[in-house]
Amino acid sequence: MHALLDAGRRRIDHWFPGFSTELVADGAALADTGTDVHSYLDGSLKVLVGGVEMVSATRPFLETHLRRRVLALDNLSQVNGRVQGLAFTGDRVSGVRYAGAAGDDVLSADLVVDATGRASRIAAWLREGGWPEPEMRRVHVDLGYATALFRHPEGPHGVTLAQSLATLPDGRLRLGTLGRVEGDRWIVLVAGYSEDRPGRSMEGFLRRCEEDPAAPFRQLAEDGEPIGEPVTYRHPDNRRRDFHLLDRFPAGLIAVGDTLASFNPIYGQGMSSATMHASCLAACLESGQSLRDPAWSYFKQVRAVVDDAWQTSVLNDLKLPHVTGPRPRGFKVASQLSDLIVKASVTDPVIHRRFLQVAHMLSPAKTLMRPGTLLRAAWAVRKQDTPAADTPLDTAA
């Protein structure tokens, strides 16, 4: 399942006006957090607050529409082939070596953008050219999820998108998401960690939905019509390549998207992060910086984007009992404050709105750590934990 967060949706609409409208006209769903996007924490529905929209569609649907708009640009041509490496001239990258229909060839370029994803071979290509490799950071999370399609004409509980986060007794998390997509279908995902990863059987998939504390998942398991069998995927680790730490780097080369950083996909940051990297590239090119110099200004600017998304993902992943590795300085306090914000977002509309702004990459994560936000969150949680005046206290031992 892939939902396009608001930050990514807004940027693509800026570059390709009317893109969201086109998606909806062809069958995708545009959901608003104030009405039909429902978030559940351990079965409790969070207070609804508007102002954030997201697109629900299958990934092939989204990519087909985006690809069509890109290929329609007048100043773009397409070359089909398999990349074999980079071409170097002096201290810069001067093109791409590839195998095409007519055999091996080189495509000359002023600037090469590596968007080949988390499995990119950019480190090996740099090493082959005599350049240092960027350090790779990994956080092993051992996430697994299963996705299935359903027919459910009316939709479960009037939602367009729903997300459920539940904590197991051992501290691990289970996640469920569902959304209406093109073709009058629903796409549903169930996720877990380590030994709790879901399997491939529809019986097991439906059982996970039945066990979910959020009502839309139980309803879908009860009266939804499965289409085909579940498909599973495993995400062993989060990765980031720290290009900004290198002391030497060739001109004419940058990296974007999952080549830079690949996060835990349950947070939905991947596509929107890539659009923000593209914005950094646009700013770099518009600044007039010479392509004959290494793109240090780009890597400095994009680092802030990566750091923010990495912090959001990794801080939560390091809370999981099975995730090993060093915790950063101040982790315990940061973790407690993060939990406070999440709990407060269930009932406090102001905190939930600020939480959504960060979750959708419209505001940096540090805005949730402002004193005023933390004080309001503490007060909201205190009210949650305080019995109402007409509720008798449980005095049982």
Side-chain angles (χ1 to χ4, degrees):
M1 177 171 180
H2 288 76
L4 182 59
L5 301 182
D6 210 3
R9 183 191 66 82
R10 294 183 187 190
R11 279 173 170 78
I12 296 176
D13 271 348
H14 171 73
W15 295 320
F16 298 106
F19 183 76
S20 295
T21 302
E22 176 186 312
L23 292 178
V24 174
D26 286 349
L30 183 63
D32 191 298
T33 55
T35 53
D36 51 356
V37 178
H38 291 190
S39 298
Y40 295 83
L41 181 65
D42 292 322
S44 296
L45 175 62
K46 291 188 176 186
V47 60
L48 298 181
V49 292
V52 177
E53 293 182 324
M54 54 198 303
V55 174
S56 177
T58 65
R59 182 166 175 173
F61 178 91
L62 283 168
E63 292 188 349
T64 296
H65 282 75
L66 186 58
R67 180 183 181 87
R68 185 185 305 141
R69 293 292 293 267
V70 171
L71 293 179
L73 296 173
D74 293 336
N75 60 344
L76 184 142
S77 60
Q78 184 179 5
V79 176
N80 294 315
R82 180 175 293 276
V83 175
Q84 296 179 319
L86 300 172
F88 293 89
T89 301
D91 59 357
R92 71 183 317 274
V93 170
S94 55
V96 174
R97 296 186 291 106
Y98 72 100
D104 294 350
D105 204 346
V106 175
L107 178 66
S108 298
D110 295 315
L111 178 66
V112 173
V113 179
D114 183 348
T116 57
R118 63 185 271 124
S120 169
R121 298 188 61 238
I122 192 169
W125 297 334
L126 286 168
R127 184 174 63 249
E128 290 168 2
W131 295 89
E133 304 174 32
E135 178 184 349
M136 171 85 81
R137 275 195 265 174
R138 298 175 187 247
V139 176
H140 292 272
V141 295
D142 198 10
L143 170 73
Y145 55 86
T147 306
L149 288 167
F150 289 79
R151 293 204 184 279
H152 196 302
E154 297 179 0
H157 282 262
V159 303
T160 298
L161 277 166
Q163 181 182 62
S164 172
L165 189 64
T167 304
L168 298 176
D170 64 1
R172 283 180 299 180
L173 297 178
R174 274 192 179 184
L175 178 87
T177 61
L178 61 83
R180 182 168 63 82
V181 296
E182 72 280 1
D184 293 323
R185 299 171 298 169
W186 290 81
I187 191 166
V188 187
L189 176 147
V190 294
Y193 293 91
S194 191
E195 296 86 0
D196 191 50
R197 298 189 306 271
R200 297 181 179 180
S201 74
M202 180 57 73
E203 180 183 4
F205 189 96
L206 292 174
R207 189 182 310 115
R208 297 281 283 234
C209 291
E210 292 167 355
E211 294 171 351
D212 197 288
F217 296 88
R218 300 197 303 272
Q219 181 184 344
L220 187 133
E222 179 180 344
D223 52 20
E225 176 191 348
I227 305 172
E229 294 295 319
V231 177
T232 59
Y233 180 78
R234 189 172 181 180
H235 177 85
D237 55 24
N238 305 331
R239 303 177 183 180
R240 67 177 290 179
R241 294 177 173 92
D242 288 324
F243 292 92
H244 63 279
L245 296 179
L246 295 172
D247 56 4
R248 295 173 55 241
F249 195 74
L253 176 66
I254 68 160
V256 299
D258 282 4
T259 303
L260 276 173
S262 170
F263 314 102
N264 186 328
I266 70 169
Y267 303 113
Q269 299 169 308
M271 292 189 291
S272 291
S273 288
T275 67
M276 296 174 79
H277 301 168
S279 291
C280 293
L281 172 57
C284 179
L285 295 175
E286 291 168 359
S287 71
Q289 177 183 332
S290 172
L291 296 179
R292 296 189 175 278
D293 298 324
W296 293 123
S297 62
Y298 164 79
F299 285 116
K300 179 180 180 181
Q301 187 174 357
V302 83
R303 177 192 173 185
V305 177
V306 173
D307 281 350
D308 205 56
W310 184 261
Q311 175 184 336
T312 299
S313 176
V314 172
L315 176 64
N316 287 289
D317 290 337
L318 289 175
K319 298 176 188 177
L320 301 172
H322 72 284
V323 175
T324 59
R327 270 56 176 171
R329 187 176 181 181
F331 168 77
K332 186 175 181 179
V333 173
S335 178
Q336 291 172 340
L337 295 177
S338 173
D339 290 343
L340 176 72
I341 293 291
V342 171
K343 187 175 182 181
S345 69
V346 175
T347 55
D348 189 288
V350 173
I351 297 298
H352 192 200
R353 181 174 288 107
R354 293 174 186 174
F355 175 85
L356 287 172
Q357 290 284 319
V358 171
H360 282 258
M361 308 186 77
L362 298 169
S363 299
K366 64 182 180 182
T367 59
L368 293 177
M369 295 295 109
R370 291 172 177 167
T373 298
L374 293 173
L375 286 172
R376 185 181 181 101
W379 177 244
V381 169
R382 182 181 179 183
K383 287 195 295 184
Q384 292 173 6
D385 296 337
T386 302
D390 57 351
T391 302
L393 291 174
D394 183 1
T395 58

